[in-house]
Amino acid sequence: MKRILNVARIHNTSWATTFAWPLGILAIVFFITYALFSVIPDTESDFNFTGGVFAVYGFAIAFYVTAITQVFPFASSLSITRREFLTATALVGVAQSVAIGTIVYVLSVIETATGGFGRKIRMFGIVRYVTDNPVLQWATLVIGLLLIGSVGAFVGVVYRRFRTNGLFTLGLVALIIFGGGAIVITWQNWWPNIGTFFTDTPRILLLVVIPLISTAVLSAASWVGLLKATA
């Protein structure tokens, strides 16, 4: 375990990269949003939605793509095994997701208590649209970051394993699945059924269980892929 923690420190050589940058980006997005809603006329809606919090999720993808494509070769040069690197990366991912997810949740509580910071802004409390359960809100934010991190790691592993052709293939497969799926769903008029699925499915299943399963599948695929990838 001590060696795993030492390997994890490679990701945290610059703590700013792991925690300060995503929080800094979030702060800048918030101040821009606050300034924007301070100068525009008051709206009639109860909340002014802004997706600024998703900037953190974009950072998570970039961080784990970089971890696999650039940090992994460096770790290999230090005689760190793939298993040690993957375990340490997963540990960092859990710690980062819990820390940032908790901060976003606390900000969502403040946001609600202050009436959207006095401007009816809903930036941090995006999960409040689907559930009022505070534990579920927190878990959704944390697990969402874990899922996005696993997507970034998987993309990085595809690049390490198959290089540029792998990324192009992955993008093409995603386009076929989502584009083809949209065509079939529209053709069969299944959109109402999909809407019913999202409204009738228990929130814990939709917000926690399914994302956790998806994270586990992507993590397993990344584990297998990186064990076979070249350093």
Side-chain angles (χ1 to χ4, degrees), residues 5-206:
L5 291 175
N6 288 333
V7 176
R9 291 192 181 98
I10 295 177
H11 293 295
N12 299 316
T13 301
S14 173
W15 66 272
T17 303
T18 310
F19 293 104
W21 267 108
L23 296 178
I25 292 171
L26 193 63
I28 292 172
V29 171
F30 167 72
F31 285 120
I32 291 174
T33 301
Y34 185 85
L36 177 64
F37 283 105
S38 295
V39 298
I40 63 176
D42 189 24
T43 62
E44 300 264 337
S45 61
D46 294 332
F47 302 104
N48 297 316
F49 172 75
T50 169
V53 73
F54 292 116
V56 174
Y57 294 84
F59 175 88
I61 289 182
F63 179 84
Y64 289 99
V65 168
T66 303
I68 301 298
T69 58
Q70 298 186 26
V71 180
F72 169 64
F74 171 71
S76 297
S77 69
L78 299 177
S79 299
I80 294 171
T81 67
R82 286 169 168 79
R83 294 180 187 276
E84 290 170 341
F85 177 79
L86 286 168
T87 304
T89 302
L91 183 63
V92 171
V94 171
Q96 186 185 57
S97 297
V98 170
I100 295 178
T102 300
I103 290 171
V104 172
Y105 173 73
V106 171
L107 289 172
S108 77
V109 173
I110 297 172
E111 180 181 81
T112 301
T114 58
F117 303 101
R119 293 291 184 270
K120 297 192 293 186
I121 297 171
R122 178 164 283 185
M123 172 176 167
F124 303 105
I126 54 174
V127 188
R128 294 181 184 273
Y129 284 110
V130 292
T131 179
D132 294 325
N133 187 313
V135 176
L136 197 54
Q137 291 172 10
W138 174 83
T140 301
L141 291 169
V142 172
I143 294 170
L145 284 165
L146 280 173
L147 176 59
I148 292 299
S150 67
V151 171
F154 179 72
V155 171
V157 168
V158 169
Y159 176 78
R160 293 301 319 172
R161 183 75 173 85
F162 303 105
R163 303 299 177 179
T164 305
N165 286 332
L167 291 182
F168 286 150
T169 302
L170 181 62
L172 182 61
V173 169
L175 180 63
I176 292 173
I177 291 175
F178 289 106
I183 293 172
V184 172
I185 291 170
T186 303
W187 173 42
Q188 294 294 325
N189 195 28
W190 287 341
W191 289 114
N193 295 332
I194 292 176
T196 300
F197 169 78
F198 282 105
T199 56
D200 294 348
T201 301
R203 291 292 178 262
I204 191 169
L205 180 63
L206 194 64

Side-chain angles (χ1 to χ4, degrees), residues 143 146-147 150 209-223:
I143 294 170
L146 280 173
L147 176 59
S150 67
V209 177
I210 293 177
L212 269 180
I213 292 174
S214 301
T215 300
V217 170
L218 287 169
S219 299
S222 298
W223 184 283

